[in-house]
Amino acid sequence: MERCIGCHSCSLACARLVHRKLSWDTAGIRIASSGGLSTGFEAKNCLACNPAPCVLACPTGAYSQRKGGGVIVRKSLCILCGECAKACPVDAIYLDPSGEPFVCIHCGRCVNFCPHNCLEMKEIVASDNNENLTENQK
Amino acid sequence: MIRNYFKVLLYDLTLRKGTFIKVDGREEVAGGSGLAALLFNKYCNIKDNWDSPEQSIIFTIGPLTGYFPLMSKTVCAFKSPYHNQYAESHGGGRSALCMRFADIDGIVITGKANRPSCLFIGSRNLELREVHYLWGMDVQVTGKILRNMFRGSGHRSILRIGPAGENLSPMACINVDTYRHFGRLGSGAVMGSKNLKAIVIQGDGNFSLVENKDYPKLFHDVFKQLTTTEMMSKYHNLGTTENVAVLNEFKSLPCKNLQNTSDSEIKGITGETFANDALLRNAACAGCPVGCIHIGFVREKFMEENQYLYRQVSYDHEPVFASGSMLGVKNCFSVLSIIDAAEKMGLDIMSSGVALAWATEAFEKGIITVKETIIPLSFGNAQSYKEAMFYLATGANDFYKTLSQGTMNAALKYKGEDFACVLGQEMAGYATGEVFFTSQALGLRHSHLDSAGYSYDLKHNDKNIEKAIEFLLNDEKARVFLTSMVSCLFARNVYTNELLKDCLSVIGYKNIADNIEKISVEIQKLRWKTRISTGYDPENIKIPKRFFEIITSKGPIDAVFLNSLTQEYSRRIMSLVQE
Ligand code: SF4
Ligand code: SF4
Ligand code: SF4
Ligand code: SF4
């Protein structure tokens, strides 16, 4: 992420393609300036924890453990309690004004929109040998 | 948000209250430049002085802002302290996307706060906070403090002024997110006159997109076109400072107050040298994958024995010309240190650099002395220019006060009009010839961005008056539509009218999409009418003698051609309004 130029193309792509929104908030990756614009940018996105604290915190099963790390999301089960966002150690979950959580599902659609190749897809071999893709910061 | 009207925030600083109103006219003026002129006519007073509390400062975005890449600029309109007439200035950073996500098409700020204040705007916030303790602080410190006072790092835009704006200098800019500006014609002073130290816009809303596969597909196509190797190499690689060496080669780079048009020792400040020696990193306006912002560094020894501090400073062709070649400063770090001094003070670097170039020549000619300039000025002496920036911003004595009102102002008082490099306002960094001089001198914004007169000069040698003026007017018409969307003009070759038509219709602005030509003409006329209603007469614009004395790669300036161009251009501008 040291290469990031702060264009927000990744967040806009995620909102547009995954969540059908025009937004830089309702996205699996969000860009903040680190210590003011003058020192660069940092991304807030999912580290693909395994076990995932957000999943453990979710009381309904709306978030469940994804093989290889991270979460599988079932929106219909969500009661907008916000526990997942509280549990995430890196602030990767955005709660919109209605309380709906947004998190990275590691689909990789944002990767091609980063002009500085800050983002990449990595293959992760999960313990049960299912192959999973995850999106990572370089 | 797609809507057939404009959602405008009217904020009255005197009453400390704001309201959101619906303004009609979407299909007539689209947004951006068009909307700014429309709002100026509604909410500014054509006759009163620029600093009357009745006047407004206006910010607008356009229908495509945030929806497509490089739709990343905001238009600012106001009555200018420079000429007391209608003015428009454009800035980037995160301002445009923050307005989009705050769900506001236009902001109109009127009245005057009774104490220095900061206006905080969000999709669910509106607050005027008193910040008397920030008054007098430089732009960088102000930015730092505001970043801690308001939440939303990364998704907010911080517009602020420095001492130059507080002191009502027509050379005062509004700094946007540290590295971008509403640079020219004194928008910073308008904020200063309203006791408005800063505006923080938080982009904290989001919108559902219509279920429509065509939009993401078109976005992807446009994105690809805008990130081709050609675009990237032009604006991302060396950036606009690439022009320094090119213009020098064409004998078109203003040097030492335009006493020359090239310099054999230019190597120290070319784009290549900046990239090799001083470039730290690139940055981008929000929504722009090109990332044209180049950030270099200055290092200062603050104590004996290797105690250094460093600051990051953005550079571009225009600042490098104004604080480099124009001042005879030919070391990239010295240039950055002058830019840094102007940035801190909240001075527009182009106007202030050109003003100091005039002062230096006047000093060398003995028209003014240290009694006026406080410190001796000489071409190439960066240290004295850094100090002079401070004197200029603070109006340290009568001379600097007069100079900060505009170079021609000082030139008239101290006698030195012949070598004042003023084309409507302080010149931009292109001494390409007659067509550019005409376009900046008479153009609505007196900017190199009004139309591509400089590139016309470099490509044509035929001295065809009719053709040249036709080009300026047509190019201006295309640009005002782009700046009504609001696009960064670096994308102008990609966003043709055909592509804009597709972009507008795919997100739901069918009626604008089908009438681009008609709307462009209307916006062009509306802007000129607005400027002229505030007192502009293109026939009163005089081009100083210095511009007739130079030699470019095409040879000496042709005075007859230049005079005919300005006559014809002013005639055409006036007939545009009468049509
Ligand atoms: S959302 Fe946060 S807690 Fe959940 S897996 Fe990602 S990083 Fe871990
Ligand atoms: S907000 Fe939804 S996903 Fe998050 S913990 Fe609550 S129920 Fe689970
Ligand atoms: S990988 Fe997919 S879900 Fe995650 S940020 Fe990128 S586009 Fe969004
Ligand atoms: S797309 Fe890349 S460069 Fe742009 S903000 Fe995202 S990570 Fe940074």
Side-chain angles (χ1 to χ4, degrees):
Chain A
M1 280 308 290
E2 282 162 338
R3 305 182 192 173
C4 177
I5 56 172
C7 68
H8 300 269
S9 298
C10 49
S11 314
L12 293 165
C14 179
R16 181 174 67 248
L17 301 170
V18 181
H19 304 291
R20 308 263 177 255
K21 280 182 184 288
L22 185 72
S23 171
W24 52 10
D25 281 325
T26 59
I29 182 166
R30 292 177 315 283
I31 304 298
S33 31
S34 51
L37 191 53
S38 49
T39 46
F41 302 94
E42 59 191 26
K44 288 186 180 165
N45 73 330
C46 173
L47 304 176
C49 311
N50 194 4
C54 58
V55 170
L56 298 176
C58 175
T60 64
Y63 277 16
S64 57
Q65 185 67 47
R66 177 173 171 273
K67 285 169 191 153
V71 279
I72 294 172
V73 180
R74 279 188 207 84
K75 279 198 180 217
S76 58
L77 300 182
C78 178
I79 55 169
L80 313 182
C81 67
E83 290 302 321
C84 51
K86 265 189 246 163
C88 174
V90 292
D91 199 14
I93 301 173
Y94 172 76
L95 296 180
D96 82 359
S98 73
E100 184 180 341
F102 289 83
V103 71
C104 175
I105 55 167
H106 304 279
C107 69
R109 271 176 274 192
C110 56
V111 173
N112 285 335
F113 287 94
C114 176
H116 253 206
N117 299 328
C118 305
L119 310 171
E120 65 176 355
M121 290 294 293
K122 271 194 198 150
E123 279 195 16
I124 298 224
V125 182
S127 47
D128 63 354
N129 275 347
N130 276 352
E131 276 194 354
N132 265 302
L133 286 177
T134 190
E135 170 260 17
N136 254 298
Q137 301 170 14
K138 255 189 211 171
Chain B
M1 228 359 210
I2 311 303
R3 48 186 158 231
N4 60 5
Y5 59 93
F6 299 107
K7 183 178 164 197
V8 174
L9 168 63
L10 285 185
Y11 196 90
D12 187 326
L13 294 166
T14 313
L15 301 176
R16 306 177 63 89
K17 289 267 183 282
T19 39
F20 285 91
I21 57 162
K22 273 186 177 185
V23 173
D24 290 331
R26 174 70 82 179
E27 284 167 14
E28 288 76 44
V29 300
S33 289
L35 174 59
L38 184 145
L39 292 173
F40 183 89
N41 284 293
K42 269 184 186 303
Y43 299 108
C44 282
N45 186 312
I46 303 283
K47 294 210 175 61
D48 282 3
N49 262 354
W50 68 273
D51 58 353
S52 148
E54 308 291 302
Q55 302 295 10
S56 304
I57 185 160
I58 296 164
F59 299 92
T60 58
I61 57 170
L64 297 182
T65 302
Y67 281 91
F68 286 94
L70 274 87
M71 291 292 170
S72 48
K73 296 277 165 186
T74 303
V75 174
C76 175
F78 50 98
K79 202 163 192 202
S80 165
Y82 199 93
H83 48 39
N84 212 21
Q85 295 165 8
Y86 181 62
E88 206 187 85
S89 177
H90 301 177
R94 289 185 293 263
S95 57
L97 261 64
C98 284
M99 280 182 68
R100 165 60 70 223
F101 292 126
D103 196 17
I104 304 173
D105 300 309
I107 301 173
V108 177
I109 303 172
T110 115
K112 180 175 180 176
N114 65 356
R115 307 278 304 271
S117 299
C118 169
L119 183 61
F120 179 54
I121 302 168
S123 69
R124 297 177 297 280
N125 291 86
L126 188 58
E127 176 194 349
L128 187 67
R129 202 180 290 185
E130 202 183 291
V131 291
H132 58 87
Y133 42 85
L134 293 181
W135 207 250
M137 278 192 190
D138 76 36
V139 166
Q140 287 154 3
V141 176
T142 303
K144 252 186 213 141
I145 297 176
L146 289 170
R147 277 195 287 275
N148 289 326
M149 284 171 59
F150 296 94
R151 64 182 179 279
S153 164
H155 293 179
R156 76 186 158 200
S157 183
I158 302 185
L159 283 54
R160 69 266 194 185
I161 58 168
E166 296 170 10
N167 293 322
L168 311 183
S169 164
M171 293 184 187
C173 67
I174 301 173
N175 179 295
V176 188
D177 302 325
T178 311
Y179 299 122
R180 300 286 92 179
H181 316 83
F182 295 102
R184 311 215 72 189
L185 294 168
S187 57
V190 181
M191 274 181 64
S193 76
K194 298 190 167 304
N195 262 338
L196 188 58
K197 178 73 176 175
I199 304 167
V200 178
I201 308 169
Q202 179 155 34
D204 56 356
N206 63 75
F207 314 106
S208 297
L209 290 170
V210 276
E211 286 293 334
N212 168 345
K213 287 211 172 59
D214 297 338
Y215 167 61
K217 194 174 159 297
L218 183 60
F219 185 104
H220 202 176
D221 286 352
V222 177
F223 188 93
K224 275 193 287 192
Q225 287 187 54
L226 283 165
T227 47
T228 55
T229 14
E230 197 205 332
M231 276 294 288
M232 289 309 245
S233 78
K234 201 161 167 196
Y235 298 112
H236 181 83
N237 182 16
L238 295 179
T240 53
T241 40
E242 186 180 30
N243 290 337
V244 174
V246 176
L247 291 170
N248 194 61
E249 189 64 33
F250 280 107
K251 295 200 180 69
S252 298
L253 183 69
C255 297
K256 291 191 183 167
N257 199 40
L258 199 59
Q259 298 183 61
N260 309 100
T261 49
S262 68
D263 189 322
S264 57
E265 294 161 22
I266 203 66
K267 197 157 182 310
I269 57 167
T270 59
E272 292 78 4
T273 303
F274 269 96
N276 288 334
D277 299 348
L279 178 61
L280 278 177
R281 61 190 177 95
N282 279 63
C285 292
C288 168
V290 175
C292 75
I293 305 175
H294 287 65
I295 299 172
F297 65 94
V298 288
R299 197 171 84 134
E300 254 169 39
K301 201 171 190 173
F302 64 89
M303 272 203 292
E304 290 309 310
E305 292 200 55
N306 300 324
Q307 301 296 305
Y308 289 99
L309 57 83
Y310 84 102
R311 270 191 301 276
Q312 305 189 46
V313 183
S314 69
Y315 63 85
D316 259 302
H317 169 68
E318 301 296 343
V320 169
F321 127 78
S323 59
S325 64
M326 197 64 171
L327 295 176
V329 176
K330 286 170 279 187
N331 170 283
C332 64
F333 292 105
S334 304
V335 164
L336 288 172
S337 73
I338 299 171
I339 300 176
D340 182 48
E343 287 278 23
K344 274 199 242 167
M345 291 295 110
L347 278 171
D348 167 46
I349 183 66
M350 292 171 70
S351 313
S352 55
V354 173
L356 292 180
W358 174 84
T360 309
E361 191 173 334
F363 186 89
E364 287 186 344
K365 288 191 153 76
I367 296 172
I368 49 175
T369 65
V370 277
K371 194 173 135 268
E372 281 80 28
T373 57
I374 305 176
I375 36 150
L377 297 177
S378 63
F379 288 114
N381 184 344
Q383 186 52 39
S384 65
Y385 290 130
K386 279 164 63 181
E387 283 176 49
M389 286 293 176
F390 175 80
Y391 300 140
L392 197 57
T394 52
N397 62 12
D398 269 357
F399 170 73
Y400 282 105
K401 268 195 204 102
T402 311
L403 186 60
S404 81
Q405 296 296 309
T407 303
M408 193 47 91
N409 208 42
L412 288 169
K413 179 164 171 191
Y414 295 89
K415 307 276 173 258
E417 302 103 283
D418 287 354
F419 57 94
C421 295
V422 174
L423 296 165
Q425 67 175 330
E426 284 71 11
M427 79 177 297
Y430 304 87
T432 50
E434 298 87 351
V435 180
F436 173 69
F437 295 161
T438 303
S439 86
Q440 192 190 336
L442 271 64
L444 190 126
R445 292 167 60 201
H446 302 298
S447 162
H448 59 292
L449 296 165
D450 279 323
S451 52
Y454 50 92
S455 88
Y456 190 92
D457 273 329
L458 296 175
K459 288 180 196 145
H460 297 81
N461 216 349
D462 51 26
K463 301 196 179 169
N464 183 325
I465 297 161
E466 199 52 37
K467 239 175 74 192
I469 298 302
E470 205 55 43
F471 169 81
L472 292 183
L473 286 164
N474 279 329
D475 198 36
E476 182 204 340
K477 185 177 68 190
R479 284 170 182 239
V480 297
F481 191 76
L482 277 170
T483 62
S484 298
M485 295 294 100
V486 176
S487 170
C488 171
L489 287 171
F490 289 167
R492 61 185 178 270
N493 294 331
V494 171
Y495 282 119
T496 57
N497 278 358
E498 292 71 55
L499 183 59
L500 289 169
K501 182 174 178 175
D502 293 343
C503 293
L504 284 160
S505 40
V506 83
I507 61 167
Y509 285 113
K510 187 90 179 57
N511 287 342
I512 303 180
D514 289 340
N515 293 296
I516 292 183
E517 179 61 26
K518 189 169 149 255
I519 296 172
S520 307
V521 173
E522 282 314 309
I523 299 171
Q524 188 180 24
K525 277 192 203 165
L526 174 65
R527 286 167 88 237
W528 276 118
K529 272 190 189 146
T530 309
R531 174 84 198 265
I532 288 163
S533 73
T534 54
Y536 182 56
D537 182 352
E539 301 212 340
N540 287 343
I541 295 273
K542 288 197 179 57
I543 296 185
K545 196 159 162 228
R546 174 59 45 86
F547 293 97
F548 292 86
E549 295 168 343
I550 64 162
I551 297 175
T552 72
S553 58
K554 292 195 289 188
I557 290 295
D558 180 337
V560 177
F561 181 45
L562 178 48
N563 287 329
S564 324
L565 280 172
T566 52
Q567 270 167 24
E568 178 61 9
Y569 195 27
S570 49
R571 192 185 67 78
R572 291 289 299 273
I573 290 169
M574 292 313 279
S575 67
L576 202 69
V577 176
Q578 281 141 17
E579 263 167 37

